[in-house]
Amino acid sequence: MLKALIWDVDGTLAETERDGHRLAFNQAFAECGLPWHWGVAEYGGLLRVAGGFERLLAYMDERTDLAAGSDARRRLAGEIHRSKNRHYANLVAQGALVARPGVMRLLGECREQGIAQAVATTTSRSNVEALFPHLFGASWQSLFAAVVCAEDAPRKKPDPQVYRLALERLGCTPATVIAIEDSPAGLAAARAAGVACLVTPSSYFAAANFSAAVGVCRDLDAGPVDVAALQASLARTWDP
Ligand code: XBP
Ligand code: MG
């Protein structure tokens, strides 16, 4: 029996990677006086590393024009990442991001039908605090029983830490919850915590392999995905 829905953020609620974080990183590079630029296609490759700071460090490690020394590199990465998150909040405030189809509807249906909702994301809490009022209004916190971010679960997806913590804070067992994700790393994290996962691939992952998912749909309005569909997916997972 379905008790809770756990939402991923980046790529699932909105196209935050392509239209938010990527642009914000480019603005941060310019602010820091760096001639770097991440194009749409290049950023897709960089997404193999989860977490903005870790992604940036991986990119910097491959550059030959940077002074050696991991301490200096981490300091610079930290400066760029903080700037990136400030620019991300500005982009959100300017209206750069909208909810993907079906997100608002499903969120409302879950609330009406007494299904608890939580967030499990590897993004920084500041990004959630910028995005959620914009998407869900000033009282967004009342929608979620738990909001687990990178600061709470520092081991990034595909590590299951963020899902285990969300389950603990919800007080739920894996058999009573379902997750919605957009990426292979997110799916792997949910599955490693024993959580059934429905996937709505974001633009970067349209061709990825999601065979471990309980279902894959172009977006939440394709189907459409409603509470009854989530219940059916959960039942299929645990009583095939
Ligand atoms: C999201 C991420 C995030 C964002 C940027 O993964 O990897 O790190 O790219 O946010 P998921 P930060 O959707 O699987 O949670 O820069 O704050 O890390
Ligand atoms: Mg995601």
Side-chain angles (χ1 to χ4, degrees):
M1 150 107 173
L2 180 68
K3 288 195 176 151
L5 170 60
I6 303 181
W7 293 92
D8 169 48
V9 175
D10 289 308
T12 297
L13 297 178
E15 286 285 357
T16 54
E17 298 289 13
R18 186 191 61 197
D19 303 335
H21 295 295
R22 184 186 66 85
L23 299 176
F25 268 117
N26 287 333
Q27 291 174 347
F29 296 153
E31 187 179 296
C32 295
L34 295 159
W36 305 343
H37 180 86
W38 288 351
V40 172
E42 183 184 8
Y43 193 68
L46 293 165
L47 284 176
R48 68 182 175 277
V49 179
F53 178 75
E54 291 80 357
R55 183 171 307 133
L56 178 60
L57 265 188
Y59 172 80
M60 289 168 76
D61 282 345
E62 282 172 13
R63 292 200 67 101
T64 50
D65 59 342
L66 279 177
S70 63
D71 281 357
R73 213 170 264 209
R74 283 188 82 85
R75 267 199 306 280
L76 177 58
E79 188 190 332
I80 299 168
H81 189 243
R82 282 189 295 279
S83 164
K84 186 277 283 182
N85 282 352
R86 277 196 307 276
H87 285 293
Y88 178 84
N90 288 339
L91 284 166
V92 170
Q94 287 159 17
L97 297 169
V98 293
R100 290 186 61 195
V103 166
M104 304 306 292
R105 175 190 50 76
L106 184 59
L107 206 114
E109 285 174 16
C110 286
R111 189 180 41 186
E112 279 161 24
Q113 296 183 42
I115 307 295
Q117 295 181 83
V119 167
T121 176
T122 59
T123 210
S124 312
R125 184 165 289 274
S126 68
N127 297 334
V128 167
E129 288 172 349
L131 182 66
F132 280 33
H134 174 73
L135 294 185
F136 308 131
S139 55
W140 64 270
Q141 296 196 47
S142 65
L143 295 171
F144 300 100
V147 178
V148 186
C149 302
E151 289 83 350
D152 312 296
R155 294 200 299 274
K156 307 279 161 89
K157 298 173 188 176
D159 191 287
Q161 187 183 37
V162 67
Y163 274 98
R164 293 206 174 117
L165 200 51
L167 287 170
E168 195 182 307
R169 291 189 183 171
L170 281 166
C172 287
T173 60
T176 61
V177 309
I178 193 159
I180 301 185
E181 281 280 356
D182 70 299
S183 70
L187 170 63
R191 295 304 297 132
V195 173
C197 184
L198 189 77
V199 175
T200 55
S202 52
S203 61
Y204 281 118
F205 301 113
N209 178 354
F210 293 115
S211 51
V214 69
V216 182
C217 54
R218 191 182 66 241
D219 60 55
L220 294 174
D221 275 346
V225 177
D226 55 16
V227 171
L230 294 178
Q231 297 268 20
S233 296
L234 193 66
R236 253 197 331 276
T237 304
W238 292 94
D239 191 13

